[in-house]
Amino acid sequence: MSYNGRCPNNTTVTTQPIPFRSDSNLRLHKAGMRSTLPRRAVLDTVTATDQHRSAEEIRRALADRGIELPRSSVNNILGRLAEACLIGRTDTLPG
């Protein structure tokens, strides 16, 4: 399914300006995902650096930007972004 800025009933989609990289919205839509504020925020935070970050580090970085999300939500979003191949996943073993 492609996203062309119109809903199936041919009405124009209006969105609020987002304080994030503009390509996040497009990348999410191309992957078949809805572009929500939490998803854009997590995607931007993850792709802003080449360093691996834990879900807790991402949650704290978002909180510093004024976006409060529970760690469980961050984990869920990270899982969905990885399933859509928008980010990589690094599994760490305890110890």
Side-chain angles (χ1 to χ4, degrees):
M1 179 174 124
S2 64
Y3 177 75
N4 63 6
R6 295 201 170 268
C7 292
N9 62 0
N10 235 8
T11 58
T12 303
V13 175
T14 57
T15 60
Q16 299 176 20
I18 55 172
F20 303 105
R21 292 184 1 208
S22 61
D23 69 331
S24 296
N25 188 41
L26 183 61
R27 291 178 67 200
L28 287 164
H29 281 290
K30 282 186 176 182
M33 298 177 73
R34 286 185 328 147
S35 178
T36 63
L37 176 68
R39 287 179 182 170
R40 288 190 307 266
V42 170
L43 181 59
D44 284 345
T45 302
V46 170
T47 57
T49 180
D50 291 334
Q51 297 177 350
H52 170 76
R53 289 178 156 184
S54 68
E56 179 59 24
E57 291 168 327
I58 293 167
R59 189 201 62 74
R60 276 189 255 128
L62 292 171
D64 291 344
R65 293 170 61 187
I67 302 169
E68 297 288 339
L69 291 175
R71 190 170 46 176
S72 59
S73 294
V74 173
N75 278 324
N76 290 338
I77 292 168
L78 290 171
R80 288 192 175 103
L81 293 174
E83 287 172 4
C85 298
L86 293 173
I87 62 170
R89 179 182 293 210
T90 303
D91 292 320
T92 56
L93 298 174

